[in-house]
Amino acid sequence: MDFEALQAARESCRVFCDRPVPREVLAHLVDVARLSPSGCNAQPWRFIAVDEPQAKAKLVDALRDGPVCGCPWGDKVPAFLLICEDQAQLMPGVGEHYGSQHFAQMDIGMAAMALCLEATQLGLGTCMLGTINQEKMHAAFGIPEQRPVRLAIAVGYPAGERPPRRKQRKQLEEILSYNRW
């Protein structure tokens, strides 16, 4: 599949079949994600694969962080991949000027997108979730307090065959200009 077709095919999946995702596949997704670019090659990420029922239940509970948040379909997700923000080691001048974590969330976003695109290529569905109760997530998975969980990515085989939904996006003319705003 060419890249544009892959981008069009990737969507947020919320309905999965009960087929488990092999750990080898989860490891492969993280292996692809770790090849993503990062500021000063800092690689400020740590991944946690969550595929056991009790651990998934704790994760789904930690995704409830207010009245409009949560993952009500989370009990049907075969696996999750958590991406935690790790300490970045930037080049001295860069870190001093911008702060050591300045690029970390962008870096994690690029790694997450690479992971989700590879999952799509393999016939898997994903959904990125960012509404996270940090206190619950840290307690459930032994994550150090100073390492925020930035994303939980649901991973599984989509239930049923259907073409990708038509993406609703702004027109190119609304988001692109040349040489000035």
Side-chain angles (χ1 to χ4, degrees), residues 10 18 57 67 69 71 96 176:
R10 194 232 47 91
D18 59 1
C69 301
C71 184
E96 290 163 14
L176 172 65

Side-chain angles (χ1 to χ4, degrees), residues 18-85:
D18 59 1
R19 179 178 166 194
V21 179
R23 286 188 171 182
E24 297 78 27
V25 172
L26 296 173
H28 172 73
L29 295 175
V30 173
D31 197 32
V32 168
R34 74 180 181 85
L35 299 174
S36 297
S38 62
C40 298
N41 197 29
Q43 305 170 57
W45 44 62
R46 174 77 187 236
F47 297 82
I48 301 172
V50 180
D51 62 354
E52 295 175 350
Q54 300 83 358
K56 289 190 300 181
K58 290 178 184 179
L59 187 147
V60 170
D61 181 55
L63 292 174
R64 284 189 210 96
D65 194 32
V68 296
C69 301
C71 184
W73 40 270
D75 61 329
K76 305 282 193 245
V77 176
F80 289 90
L81 288 166
L82 297 178
I83 307 179
C84 303
E85 182 179 326

Side-chain angles (χ1 to χ4, degrees), residues 67-165:
V68 296
C69 301
C71 184
W73 40 270
D75 61 329
K76 305 282 193 245
V77 176
F80 289 90
L81 288 166
L82 297 178
I83 307 179
C84 303
E85 182 179 326
D86 205 359
Q87 182 65 41
Q89 299 296 321
L90 301 180
M91 294 180 348
V94 175
E96 290 163 14
H97 186 73
Y98 291 103
S100 67
Q101 298 306 108
H102 180 75
F103 303 105
Q105 289 185 49
M106 293 178 281
D107 296 344
I108 287 169
M110 288 187 283
M113 195 68 231
L115 188 155
C116 290
L117 288 170
E118 179 66 6
T120 300
Q121 182 74 27
L122 296 175
L124 291 159
T126 58
C127 186
M128 292 190 222
L129 303 151
T131 57
I132 297 164
N133 181 304
Q134 295 291 328
E135 202 171 282
K136 286 183 179 180
M137 199 68 82
H138 286 147
F141 298 100
I143 301 166
E145 185 179 319
Q146 67 277 18
R147 301 292 180 255
V149 179
R150 294 297 181 196
L151 286 170
I153 302 177
V155 181
Y157 296 94
E161 290 288 324
R162 62 167 210 231
R165 296 181 290 265

